[in-house]
Amino acid sequence: MSHAVAAAIALALLEPERWRSGVRASLESFEGLDAESRTAIGRLVKSLYVRPEVDELAALIARDPKVTLRGVIPRRWALPPLRMTRPPYGAPPLPTPADLAAFLDVEVGELSFLADPKGWNTDARRQHYRTRWVPKRRGGRRLIEAPKARLKRVQRKVLRGILDPVPLGAAATGFAPGASPSKHAARHSGKRWVLKMDLADFFAHVGSGRVRAIFETLGYPLAVRRLLVGLCTTRAPAELLLDADPVERALHGRRRLPQGAPTSPTLANLAAAPLDHRLWNLAARLGLTYSRYADDLAFSGDRMPESLIPRIAAIGIEEGFPLQLRKTRRMGRAVRQELTGLVVNADPAPRRESYDRLRAILHQAALDGPAAANREAREDFRAYLRGRIEWVAGGRPQRRAKLDALFARIDWS
């Protein structure tokens, strides 16, 4: 851990605009770095006349007897920066925009058009997203931005080729290989107390600056980073915000992650790594278990201190992820403890109402045909039903057998 912290400090110090002139500003993003360590690092940097590599400077910092790295948290870096001389985690080396275009199988001109790094494509007819406001169940509304086919194809290549190999922290249980709501819920099953909290507008709070930091940590040069950031972020057209309130205008009027792009979940997870790190440590100090599924935070244990909620909220604000405190639920064993739609008082399982509702839909589809049962006009109703069966029957063989039998009776012809 100390090596990763030293590498993060070295990376911050070696940013071009800060090298040797902005040591104090660079170190402000590290929590727990004492005054003696800051002074020692500043003296070390001033003694270097040739710009070192990141790993060289990290080794010097880690070996300095006056620098204490225990308990230091690199709050502003999305990933632990290990070796920056070549892209870590198997990310492909892409030194120029032409290399990036070849990797994504597009022409350089099309890449620039899709990324729009300078924000010139303001004409609504040239926007690369289909946008709409949808109401939230508990009031308010959410902006959905679905990328059009050309951009979505490129974003998927960025996801598979660059972002998927990057490991996530142990706290993140959503939008990752092998992750699932049931695994998130299983960590908190059978506990005396369960605390559920929600992050507000999770994707919208990840601005282009955080996304840029992720690709910088992966070692990509400035010109390539700008294009990658442009491909993965967007700004809402002005006409879409005419009736927006001040909060919506502030969130969506800047470049940030769109809700609907295939790259957004993974980038949001990476951007939330410092938040997860601090909350994981807080939970460990209190003897609690912590995990996060997308924007759902969960804590569980034998006790739940009253001071925990304001401490979590304060950390969320400091890390740029405010919470929706009105959706906070502190659940003891005497009530139904529910996380991501699963009841966790014992082994995680969907509520009985979910099973009954799905069984009724399957029964109607078997009697009257799938068209009559598809009241929400889902595009691929068959795939939707299979997904719901997997969800509702997870870990319950008897439920699965009954639901599979009903599904087999449906005439899809």
Side-chain angles (χ1 to χ4, degrees):
M1 182 61 191
S2 61
H3 174 74
V5 173
I9 293 174
L11 180 62
L13 293 169
L14 289 172
E15 285 187 297
E17 65 272 20
R18 294 179 178 176
W19 168 238
R20 299 193 65 190
S21 62
V23 174
R24 179 178 297 180
S26 298
L27 297 180
E28 286 179 354
S29 61
F30 294 86
E31 180 185 352
L33 198 62
D34 59 50
E36 183 179 3
S37 297
R38 292 171 184 267
T39 301
I41 292 173
R43 189 180 301 113
L44 175 64
V45 169
K46 290 180 181 179
S47 70
L48 299 174
Y49 294 97
V50 178
R51 182 189 179 96
E53 295 292 336
V54 172
D55 54 353
E56 295 173 346
L57 180 56
L60 291 173
I61 293 172
R63 288 199 303 264
D64 194 311
K66 294 185 178 181
V67 175
T68 302
L69 298 179
R70 184 183 298 276
V72 176
I73 300 173
R75 292 166 49 191
R76 294 294 175 250
W77 293 103
L79 301 169
L82 304 176
R83 292 183 57 87
M84 303 311 298
T85 53
R86 63 178 180 272
Y89 312 118
L94 303 170
T96 68
D99 294 314
L100 176 62
F103 175 75
L104 299 175
D105 194 24
V106 295
E107 298 293 333
V108 174
E110 182 180 8
L111 174 61
S112 181
F113 171 72
L114 292 174
D116 186 23
K118 296 185 178 180
W120 287 344
N121 298 337
T122 55
D123 188 338
R125 290 172 298 178
R126 299 182 67 196
Q127 291 296 319
H128 303 304
Y129 293 85
R130 295 184 177 89
T131 60
R132 70 183 190 277
W133 292 100
V134 298
K136 297 180 180 179
R137 286 187 302 174
R138 300 187 180 183
R141 59 182 183 172
R142 178 181 291 108
L143 179 60
I144 302 298
E145 295 163 299
K148 296 179 181 178
R150 291 167 66 191
L151 177 59
K152 190 173 186 178
R153 177 176 60 85
V154 171
Q155 288 175 337
R156 283 176 171 165
K157 289 186 177 182
V158 172
L159 176 65
R160 291 193 297 265
I162 297 176
L163 297 176
D164 272 352
V166 181
L168 296 174
T173 60
F175 309 129
S180 69
S182 59
K183 289 185 178 181
H184 168 69
R187 294 189 183 185
H188 308 279
S189 64
K191 300 294 182 65
R192 182 177 179 182
W193 289 99
V194 175
L195 174 65
K196 177 184 178 297
M197 304 183 76
D198 281 16
L199 299 175
D201 298 299
F202 183 39
F203 291 167
H205 277 95
V206 181
S208 59
R210 297 194 199 206
V211 178
R212 188 179 303 111
I214 292 171
F215 289 119
E216 184 174 7
T217 304
L218 290 175
Y220 292 113
L222 179 61
V224 175
R225 289 200 304 269
R226 285 176 175 169
L227 291 168
L228 286 169
V229 171
L231 291 173
C232 299
T233 63
T234 189
R235 178 189 293 113
E239 59 268 25
L240 197 66
L241 301 176
L242 291 177
D243 63 341
D245 61 39
V247 174
E248 292 173 338
R249 195 172 293 113
L251 280 177
H252 303 296
R254 59 172 189 150
R255 291 201 81 134
R256 31 79 202 158
L257 293 182
Q259 183 157 342
T263 47
S264 291
T266 299
L267 285 169
N269 267 339
L270 295 173
L275 172 72
D276 288 335
H277 182 75
R278 295 183 66 184
L279 294 180
W280 182 283
N281 286 341
L282 173 63
R285 289 197 297 269
L286 297 174
L288 303 175
T289 298
Y290 163 70
S291 66
R292 177 180 57 81
Y293 186 86
D295 57 354
D296 290 342
L297 312 181
F299 296 79
S300 62
D302 292 333
R303 63 189 186 93
M304 196 64 60
E306 293 288 344
S307 61
L308 181 61
I309 293 175
R311 292 171 72 180
I312 295 170
I315 291 174
I317 292 173
E318 290 173 3
E319 294 300 334
F321 289 102
L323 280 80
Q324 298 190 70
L325 292 176
R326 61 184 175 83
K327 297 178 71 174
T328 298
R329 293 187 61 196
R330 186 170 176 266
M331 300 166 284
R333 283 177 176 166
V335 301
R336 183 168 63 187
Q337 299 168 330
E338 188 173 344
L339 296 174
T340 58
L342 298 172
V343 179
V344 297
N345 294 73
D347 292 333
R351 289 183 295 179
R352 176 74 190 191
E353 299 94 301
S354 300
Y355 169 70
D356 291 339
R357 189 181 306 115
L358 177 58
R359 189 174 60 176
I361 293 173
L362 291 170
H363 184 70
Q364 183 183 10
L367 287 180
D368 304 327
N374 188 11
R375 298 180 181 180
E376 298 181 2
R378 298 184 180 274
E379 293 183 7
D380 192 342
F381 189 51
R382 186 171 188 169
Y384 166 75
L385 289 180
R386 286 305 326 170
R388 291 300 298 173
I389 290 173
E390 292 297 322
W391 163 254
V392 171
R396 301 246 172 153
Q398 293 181 344
R399 280 189 179 183
R400 178 182 296 277
K402 293 178 181 179
L403 295 174
D404 282 343
L406 285 171
F407 183 85
R409 291 170 49 195
I410 301 175
D411 181 6
W412 295 100
S413 61

